[in-house]
Amino acid sequence: MTDLAFTRTEAQRLSEAERDSILADPGFGTRFTDHMVSIVWTRQGGWHDAEVVPYGPIPMDPASSVLHYGQEIFEGLKAYRRPDGSIVAFRPEENARRLNESAKRLALPQLPEELFVEAVHQLVRVDADWVPGGDDQSLYLRPFMIADESFLGVRAAERARFMVIASPAGPYFTGGVRPVSIWLSQTHARAGRGGTGAAKCGGNYAASLAPQNEAAANECQQVLFTDSATEDTIDELGGMNLFLVRSDGTLLTPRLNGNILDGITRKSLIRLAKDRGHAVEERDITVTEWREGAADGTIVEAFACGTAAVITPIRELKAPDFTIDFGDSAPGELTMSLREELTGIQFGTLEDRHGWLDVIVPAGA
Ligand code: PLP
Ligand code: COI
């Protein structure tokens, strides 16, 4: 529990018919629920003014630091409707912890973890009707923190705002769970030693957009970044972590090297794979190792993972001078069975044996 009480201003809610038509095919990240959460921080007053208010534009001075120096961080998590009608979030305390790690790197204030979780609960409860119940559908929650002090000097802002918005979501990639093509960025880096690669800050995504355009021009859905020093050691994708599967059932994934996001899906999959007796190697993995392994048949599957992407099979890695192609063998068997297990836990059709689910609205409420 948190000491800070939330006030609520009721929104003019969308009609049931309009909401149902959005929920029938929500896409990803285009429509938003009726309310949002806002909490203000000042250096002098700490966190205050916790509010649930109608979804809409936020007042912002044109000199706000976030607009000039990009002092911003965010999170992404989902709420799921289970067959018994209850609504749960997946490991929200992990997002709360990670937001604070990002906050340290971006010189933003620490937000008490219980306040983060309470903010998520407040929004999901008030907009519970927006949690869709269809296959692979959920309510995507986007907590974020922005520096909104009006000051053009370059220093950590003394005023910030934490917000949570929510968006009904279907699969991130259009076309559902279809294997995707990945473009290997050889001209752009996403992160470097001592940079912000491990933080979930807007600037990392801004830096990924030009290479993402290059990926799209080459008919790929995501871009893969390597370590800028070696140009061979794999970091991660623009918005997802990466796993490879060896023919002996071993999973390979880049270690948390300070440049990549400590993905909650990644850590959950490592746990589930180890529970099944698979070896999981978290270490440096190179594009060269992937190429050689795919050629000699020792690397047989690849997948991307993240909250938005869940687990998305990879059918090929394309570069200007070569392609690694899993073609007809994608999606891989282990990829899909891990996907089924993780989504089964999230959607309440499999037992939550690790206590990962946080019940926000109980069954029958
Ligand atoms: N890596 C990046 C750059 C991401 O944006 C994301 C998505 O949040 C991930 C990895 C996966 O993290 P998570 O599984 O916590 O969503
Ligand atoms: C998420 O998975 O939550 C992200 O932030 C990634 C982005 C591609 C939507």
Side-chain angles (χ1 to χ4, degrees):
M1 283 299 282
T2 159
D3 295 340
L4 201 58
F6 283 75
T7 62
R8 188 202 290 184
T9 309
E10 264 298 315
Q12 170 98 41
R13 293 173 187 252
L14 215 60
S15 74
E16 197 176 331
E18 280 177 287
R19 192 179 60 233
D20 285 350
S21 90
I22 293 169
L23 296 188
D25 185 15
F28 184 87
T30 58
R31 303 301 296 253
F32 300 90
T33 65
D34 297 318
H35 295 86
M36 62 185 188
V37 164
S38 166
I39 316 177
V40 174
W41 176 87
T42 55
R43 181 162 303 285
Q44 293 215 314
W47 290 104
H48 58 276
D49 285 354
E51 299 176 298
V52 178
V53 291
Y55 182 90
I58 45 180
M60 184 164 301
D61 190 284
S64 292
S65 358
V66 64
L67 298 178
H68 301 272
Y69 308 127
Q71 202 186 354
E72 186 267 359
I73 55 177
F74 69 96
E75 273 302 323
L77 71 161
K78 284 175 171 172
Y80 306 86
R81 186 178 293 283
R82 295 194 289 190
D84 63 6
S86 62
I87 298 173
V88 297
F90 186 69
R91 309 186 79 176
E93 69 291 345
E94 288 287 333
N95 296 90
R97 187 193 55 75
R98 190 170 65 187
L99 182 90
N100 278 336
E101 288 304 310
S102 301
K104 281 183 204 155
R105 182 64 184 84
L106 273 287
L108 280 160
Q110 294 289 293
L111 178 76
E113 289 181 20
E114 60 280 9
L115 188 52
F116 177 104
V117 174
E118 178 60 18
V120 164
H121 281 217
Q122 290 275 342
L123 185 57
V124 172
R125 269 195 240 117
V126 70
D127 284 341
D129 288 343
W130 281 92
V131 183
D135 283 353
D136 289 325
Q137 293 184 338
S138 56
L139 186 67
Y140 183 77
L141 295 150
R142 171 55 62 87
F144 61 102
M145 197 193 294
I146 53 176
D148 66 351
E149 183 185 354
S150 312
F151 177 57
L152 293 184
V154 183
R155 62 146 168 77
E158 305 209 330
R159 185 188 153 88
R161 189 188 286 267
F162 171 74
M163 302 193 70
V164 190
I165 56 174
S167 175
Y172 182 74
F173 294 107
T174 47
V177 194
R178 268 217 315 253
V180 293
S181 300
I182 303 294
W183 177 251
L184 177 63
S185 174
Q186 293 183 325
T187 44
H188 297 94
R190 174 185 178 276
R193 200 159 62 87
T196 57
K200 202 162 167 61
C201 62
N204 290 343
Y205 297 79
S208 78
L209 299 179
Q212 180 67 34
N213 279 347
E214 196 180 295
N218 287 281
E219 287 157 11
C220 291
Q221 288 82 19
Q222 271 279 302
V223 58
L224 176 70
F225 292 101
T226 55
D227 175 281
S228 60
T230 64
E231 295 186 351
D232 195 29
T233 306
I234 295 170
D235 273 347
E236 63 179 327
L237 304 167
M240 292 144 213
N241 292 116
L242 178 92
F243 278 82
L244 302 179
V245 181
R246 265 207 321 240
S247 51
D248 65 0
T250 301
L251 285 139
L252 312 178
T253 194
R255 68 187 170 89
L256 301 177
N257 60 5
N259 289 347
I260 71 171
L261 199 71
D262 181 1
I264 297 160
T265 317
R266 174 188 179 279
K267 84 167 55 156
S268 306
L269 290 173
I270 290 173
R271 179 73 267 148
L272 294 181
K274 285 185 175 170
D275 289 352
R276 292 182 183 194
H278 288 274
V280 183
E281 296 178 9
E282 293 178 69
R283 59 167 171 82
D284 287 343
I285 298 160
T286 60
V287 174
T288 306
E289 179 180 357
W290 186 354
R291 281 182 81 175
E292 290 173 357
D296 69 17
T298 51
I299 292 180
V300 290
E301 301 179 29
F303 63 86
C305 70
T307 298
V310 194
I311 294 181
T312 300
I314 294 174
R315 59 160 293 140
E316 59 181 353
L317 176 71
K318 281 197 205 172
D321 50 344
F322 69 89
T323 297
I324 301 172
D325 192 355
F326 291 113
D328 292 342
S329 59
E333 219 172 285
L334 185 57
T335 300
M336 292 313 276
S337 93
L338 283 171
R339 186 181 202 285
E340 264 159 45
E341 184 171 5
L342 180 66
T343 54
I345 293 169
Q346 292 168 331
F347 284 94
T349 56
L350 291 178
E351 189 203 345
D352 173 27
R353 64 182 186 278
H354 293 293
W356 285 339
L357 300 181
D358 173 31
V359 179
I360 301 179
V361 178

